[in-house]
Amino acid sequence: MMMANTIRPEPSTKTGERLLDVKGLTIEIETRNGPATIVDGIDLHVGKGETLGIVGESGCGKSLTMLSMMRLLPNKIRVTKGEANFAGRDLQTMSNSELRKVRGGDVGFIFQDPMTSLNPVMRIGQQLAEPLIYHRGMSKAQARKRAGELLRLVGIPGAEERLDAYPHELSGGMRQRVMIAIGLACNPQLLIADEPTTALDVTIQAQIVDLVKDLRDKLGMSVVWITHDLALIAGLVDRINVLYAGTVVEDAPVDALFANPSHPYTQGLLASIPKLSDERSIRLSSIGGTPPEPGRRPKGCPFAPRCPLVESICHDSVPSLEGLSQNGSHRVACFVAQRKLEAA
Amino acid sequence: MSVVPMTDTAVEIEPPVSLWRDAWHRLRRNKLAVFGLAVVVILAFTAVFGPYLTPYDFLSQDLNSRNLAPSLSHLFGTDDLGRDVFSRVVYGTRTAFLVAIVVTFIAVVIGVTLGALAGFFGGWLDRIVMWLTDMTMSIPNLLLVVVINASLKSPITSWMESRYLATLNPLYRETIWVDFLLVFGSMALISWPPYARLVRAQVLSIRSRPYITAAQALGLTNRIILMRYVVPNALGPLIVAVSAGLGTAMVLESAFSFLGVGVNPPTPSWGNMISDGLRVWQHYPHLLAAPAAVLGLASVAFSFLGDGLNDALNPRGAK
Ligand SMILES: Nc1ncnc2c1ncn2[C@@H]1O[C@H](COP(=O)(O)OP(=O)(O)O)[C@@H](O)[C@H]1O
Ligand code: SF4
Ligand SMILES: [Mg+2]
């Protein structure tokens, strides 16, 4: 029922055609001791047809960055600086009604927890139909037909009968597929998947990754896949941004990142992936400590308190993201890594 | 290659059932809830049709057969005016439901409106509503009711009497409506705060659930999100509270009758029968036992039903 061998067009990163372009986005939270910075002037971009992986420990601000772009932040958390352009228009300043057209219509979301992200008292067929009726102006009957097709697309057995089911009647893996179907309902140009497999067991995780990969190739959309598991997405993404404490510390094509991880934090993340070839190696956490709490960010490099290579300059100034490779596709925010390159 | 992986470890193929049918299945498995439901249905039937089926009129006195013990001709015996207690208890069921339904309805309308507004808009509106709620709850219920009745009842009644004497309009002779008005009004006035709190808490907690963010991420409007995502999810606990509240209102009416501010004789209510019975219970225990037992049964039934609905309406508890 689906094509087997689509040749995926080359993503347009190199041509510089950016579908999503986030510049200097800063997010603050209201605390008892005044506002605290959670995300600090982050820059991100996703090309047309490109798949970007965003990696980082939990609490790095991955989810808030995505939510803030679409102005979905919870109370007391807000964007104080920066812009988020989608197809050339700033999402931060457009009107609410324009924004609603982008949400769900042009940008699909898949959330982390399939158990709580579906409305428990609404049949899944109706939850799928809602955006189709709203964004695509379909009739109820058309939307229901399309909802059935979408469930089949994401590999739910007995799709048509499932339309009348309530979320609690489905397993976690099935619910996550329903969420993917909802995210894809209006053929979005960009799909944002926020740790969509964290709640699932390992075999189903791999199935979901494969599923999104196939759907992406078929539908030709851009994808942002957020995870804290580098190994899971190695075969899916074109480029990876490593996030630490609300800033991008390394930005590289996926192969370059695995071949030549340059930021000490990236190196730590890679070292903590168990090597399948080595039976005895268990998940070794080579980075001690935890990311800084909001409001307790160090003055200099945010990674300094945990960094094995820390020098005195790291405590005083913040390293910026600088190109390592000639064409600037591999960038890193670390004084030591940048100096090594100059020395070489 | 197969594009769509077809395997999933937990594919339960069950026919889809609706949330309500599902809840009904779960309710039926709960013995206490079924008992509660059965009693409530029987009492409701009694309230509607009972007065037409009783062997005696609830008002007809037979001074030759006063204070009779229960027998076949008078199932619950007779009272000090020779009235059939069974017939009066049956009619009292109608009074109890009338009071409970009207009071709960008014209280729910006030409570849901204030609670939803407070939870949804927050800010100063929330503070005012919460202040009103706390105020109302901090005044002792019975005190409030006694004060209302003592200060309003006799002026209204005497006004109506004077209107009757002046106009001879029979509308003004029926002071029983004043009773109902004051009983309903004051009971509703003390009963709404729990509903307001419940609905406010529900709205607040639902507003921060992930599926609300997910609905916003789909670009749905606030109106659709409120009507299809927030309200239906708040409904379960409200239904439960209403069920329990009906029983509470019946008990409250008796407490008022005991204080002489309930539904007044000769209209039979369980409450005024109990308070009459309490005066002579050493000599004629059946005059107390019959209405008290029925009131107890009704109150327990509503609370069992409420608990059962609570479990049944929560699909996440489903196995
Ligand atoms: N609703 C919230 N209220 C208060 N703090 C929050 C909230 N959501 C996230 N945070 C804080 O913001 C930071 C980043 O959160 P998040 O974006 O969810 O991280 P990630 O998705 O990378 O795990 C964390 O330190 C977290 O404590
Ligand atoms: S800048 Fe300094 S502290 Fe920061 S990662 Fe590089 S070496 Fe470590
Ligand atoms: Mg997250």
Side-chain angles (χ1 to χ4, degrees), chain A residues 2-3 72 100 103-104 111 116 119-120 126 130 134-135 153 155 161-162 166 168-169 171 174 177 204 207 214, chain B residues 1 3-5 7-10 12 16-19 22 210-211 214 216-221 228-229 233 315:
Chain A
M2 260 191 272
M3 61 345 99
L72 291 168
R100 273 201 300 273
R103 292 176 179 171
F111 288 97
T116 57
N119 183 355
Q126 220 204 322
E130 207 89 71
Y134 182 75
H135 291 292
L153 186 71
E161 293 94 81
R162 291 296 178 163
Y166 284 90
H168 76 266
E169 296 170 57
S171 66
M174 283 297 144
R177 283 166 197 245
I204 299 173
Q207 288 174 13
D214 293 327
Chain B
M1 120 192 157
V3 173
V4 175
T7 47
D8 188 285
T9 45
E12 332 96 71
V17 272
S18 88
L19 192 70
D22 212 35
Y211 57 81
Q216 288 171 329
L218 281 178
L220 304 179
T221 59
R228 304 230 202 124
Y229 288 72
N233 278 291

Side-chain angles (χ1 to χ4, degrees), chain A residues 263-264 301 303-304 307 309-311 314 319 333-337:
Chain A
H263 196 281
C301 172
F303 190 55
C307 183
L309 307 179
V310 62
E311 298 180 355
C314 307
C334 169
F335 295 123
V336 173

Side-chain angles (χ1 to χ4, degrees), chain A residues 58-59 62-64 112 194-195 226:
Chain A
S58 81
K62 304 184 294 295
S63 301
L64 289 185
Q112 177 165 358
D194 186 356
E195 308 203 37
I226 297 174

Side-chain angles (χ1 to χ4, degrees), chain A residues 87-294:
Chain A
R89 297 186 301 158
D90 186 6
L91 297 167
Q92 299 299 308
T93 53
M94 68 171 52
S95 72
N96 281 329
S97 61
E98 274 185 302
L99 181 69
R100 273 201 300 273
K101 286 187 199 126
V102 176
R103 292 176 179 171
D106 300 323
V107 179
F109 256 97
I110 307 172
F111 288 97
Q112 177 165 358
D113 186 0
M115 312 314 259
T116 57
S117 300
L118 291 168
N119 183 355
V121 300
M122 195 189 272
R123 296 167 198 276
I124 59 173
Q126 220 204 322
Q127 300 194 47
L128 271 161
E130 207 89 71
L132 293 167
I133 293 168
Y134 182 75
H135 291 292
R136 296 289 176 256
M138 288 190 183
S139 69
K140 278 190 176 164
Q142 286 171 321
R144 188 180 163 85
K145 186 158 166 284
R146 170 90 177 124
E149 290 167 10
L150 283 162
L151 287 190
R152 221 177 314 127
L153 186 71
V154 296
I156 291 186
E160 268 76 16
E161 293 94 81
R162 291 296 178 163
L163 288 175
D164 290 323
Y166 284 90
H168 76 266
E169 296 170 57
L170 304 180
S171 66
M174 283 297 144
R175 268 186 256 191
Q176 195 54 280
R177 283 166 197 245
V178 172
M179 299 245 301
I180 294 174
I182 292 175
L184 293 175
C186 297
N187 284 333
Q189 301 173 52
L190 174 66
L191 182 70
I192 297 176
D194 186 356
E195 308 203 37
T197 63
T198 312
L200 309 175
D201 66 55
V202 182
T203 46
I204 299 173
Q205 286 193 5
Q207 288 174 13
I208 299 280
V209 172
D210 286 344
L211 172 65
V212 169
K213 193 173 170 181
D214 293 327
L215 292 172
R216 171 200 65 187
D217 294 352
K218 184 181 175 219
L219 306 172
M221 60 192 171
S222 305
V223 177
V224 174
W225 186 290
I226 297 174
T227 184
H228 54 254
D229 186 351
L230 254 176
L232 180 71
I233 57 166
L236 170 74
V237 300
D238 301 307
R239 196 159 54 85
I240 289 183
N241 278 3
V242 180
L243 219 67
Y244 185 78
T247 50
V248 176
V249 295
E250 187 159 3
D251 168 25
V254 59
D255 300 334
L257 190 95
F258 279 95
N260 182 23
S262 302
H263 196 281
Y265 180 61
T266 314
Q267 291 164 354
L269 283 180
L270 282 173
S272 58
I273 298 175
K275 309 237 169 3
L276 288 177
S277 50
D278 183 356
E279 299 249 320
R280 284 163 306 160
S281 112
I282 34 161
R283 202 170 271 265
L284 54 114
S285 178
S286 58
I287 325 167
T290 51
E293 308 253 318

